[in-house]
Amino acid sequence: MSAEPRHFLEIGDVSEDELLTILERAEEYKAAQHAGEDHEDLDGQTLGMIFQKPSTRTRVSFETGMTQLGGHAVFLGEDDIQLGRGEPLKDTSRTLSRYVDAVMARVFKHENIEVFAEYADVPVVNGLTDDAHPCQTLADLLTIREQEGGFEGVSAAWIGDGNNVAQSFVLGCALTDIDLTVATPEGYGIDDRVLERARELGGDPTVTHDPDEAAAGADVIYTDVWISMGQEDERDVRMQAFEGFQVCADLLERAPEASVMHCLPAHRGEEITDDVIESDRSVVFDQAENRLHAQKALLSWLLE
């Protein structure tokens, strides 16, 4: 029997040393690609990609990444496979394990990817759930490392909704000793279990409801949409609740040297202004590119 597969369902599934190994490998892959060098470390291997939610960056970065690594990716929409007709997750998981070398799944309920991983004989990667987006955090940390030259002494501010991206970022900052302050409206904060997990990982995130306080002196200011997929019916309530949490020029005056991050897609004019996302302070598209390099590093690390 082969060894138990290593899964990546949350950013806390890796240690600090393992995380740094993945980020260093991502930097190597990025340099190789920019130099036009081949790096087909997953030659002949196949990634199955399950999507219950639509995607731009997740799908294209994983599919392109497998191609650049010499492998192959198979897109599996929910209605393209038997999941859409009621096949149990554990049956799909065990079947795909006989066909592919790894699975990336982008689903709604976090418990679904946990069930999928429980029955899989190959590595399972969380491409996004309602609770977590660890692959995004890998790209975020790679971007911060590039911008700041490392993590020591770096301070970051999360401004906006305490959503899945925020929760993974909280854990990523804990692993890398980034000094993080999270500013959310009351009732939209980080789950208490995530904050406790961050403390277990060595972090001590500050929580506030004041975006100006969070932004003051930060090296990185990060935001995301206020209305995520599946929350469209909450739009009016959320727009009112998040008033004053926009990342705009006035907020950036609190952090004159800060880089601005956003995981995309952005609702320009809501959580972030057009002039900020287009400014020279924005590293949003470097961040988006880094999804590709970080995920290649993750896949090669899981499959080596």
Side-chain angles (χ1 to χ4, degrees):
M1 294 290 290
S2 60
E4 288 292 315
R6 186 74 186 267
H7 304 304
F8 185 69
L9 308 186
E10 300 184 50
I11 195 71
D13 287 346
V14 296
S15 68
E16 180 180 359
D17 286 344
E18 290 169 333
L19 174 61
L20 292 176
T21 295
I22 293 168
L23 294 179
E24 287 165 5
R25 188 173 299 188
E27 290 172 340
E28 292 168 2
Y29 280 142
K30 185 172 185 177
Q33 182 188 324
H34 285 195
E37 300 170 359
D38 291 335
H39 42 279
E40 297 186 351
D41 296 342
L42 297 183
D43 184 31
Q45 300 200 53
T46 300
L47 174 70
M49 306 190 303
I50 296 175
F51 284 88
Q52 288 185 327
K53 289 186 173 187
S55 167
T56 300
R57 280 148 289 275
T58 298
R59 177 177 178 179
V60 177
S61 58
F62 269 109
E63 192 163 339
T64 301
M66 280 301 290
T67 299
Q68 292 179 355
L69 290 169
H72 177 62
V74 180
F75 175 82
L76 303 167
E78 185 177 41
D79 293 332
D80 299 323
I81 56 178
Q82 295 301 326
L83 274 179
R85 299 178 63 190
E87 181 175 54
L89 279 166
K90 59 185 180 180
D91 291 359
T92 301
S93 177
R94 286 181 287 197
T95 300
L96 285 181
S97 293
R98 306 292 182 100
Y99 299 147
V100 302
D101 299 285
V103 173
M104 184 281 298
R106 183 178 173 93
V107 300
F108 286 94
K109 295 180 180 179
H110 192 78
E111 65 190 52
N112 285 349
I113 202 164
E114 292 176 328
V115 170
F116 201 96
E118 178 183 354
Y119 288 92
D121 292 326
V122 298
V124 174
V125 174
N126 178 2
L128 177 142
T129 66
D130 286 345
D131 293 347
H133 198 353
C135 289
Q136 179 63 55
T137 301
L138 289 180
D140 298 340
L141 294 175
L142 179 59
T143 306
I144 292 172
R145 184 176 159 109
E146 289 175 340
Q147 293 295 314
E148 301 296 330
F151 300 119
E152 185 175 357
V154 174
S155 62
W158 176 274
I159 310 290
D161 190 18
N163 60 14
N164 50 2
V165 176
Q167 297 196 144
S168 289
F169 188 64
V170 166
L171 299 181
C173 288
L175 275 171
T176 52
D177 296 323
I178 292 173
D179 182 14
L180 175 65
T181 302
V182 177
T184 66
E186 292 190 32
Y188 296 92
I190 305 296
D191 190 286
D192 287 342
R193 292 171 295 181
V194 174
L195 294 174
E196 180 59 32
R197 178 63 175 145
R199 296 184 186 105
E200 291 173 358
L201 293 172
D204 187 22
T206 300
V207 176
T208 181
H209 301 304
D210 184 346
D212 287 332
E213 176 188 341
D219 298 304
V220 175
I221 293 178
Y222 195 171
T223 191
D224 190 14
V225 295
W226 296 338
I227 304 155
S228 298
M229 286 178 283
Q231 297 174 337
E232 289 80 7
D233 59 345
E234 303 174 27
R235 179 176 180 80
D236 291 344
V237 173
R238 282 178 167 268
M239 290 297 292
Q240 183 174 357
F242 285 90
E243 186 175 352
F245 283 80
Q246 184 183 71
V247 175
C248 59
D250 287 345
L251 183 73
L252 292 189
E253 290 180 1
R254 304 283 293 171
E257 304 299 323
S259 299
V260 177
M261 296 174 59
H262 193 303
C263 64
L264 300 178
H267 293 169
R268 298 178 184 226
E270 293 183 9
E271 77 278 358
I272 191 168
T273 58
D274 188 77
D275 63 310
V276 167
I277 205 169
E278 294 291 348
S279 73
D280 59 6
R281 305 274 295 275
S282 170
V283 294
V284 167
F285 296 102
D286 296 318
Q287 188 184 353
E289 178 190 342
N290 283 339
R291 288 288 305 276
L292 171 65
H293 310 301
Q295 287 160 188
K296 285 161 63 175
L298 173 66
L299 288 170
S300 69
W301 181 77
L302 288 171
L303 289 168
E304 67 183 6

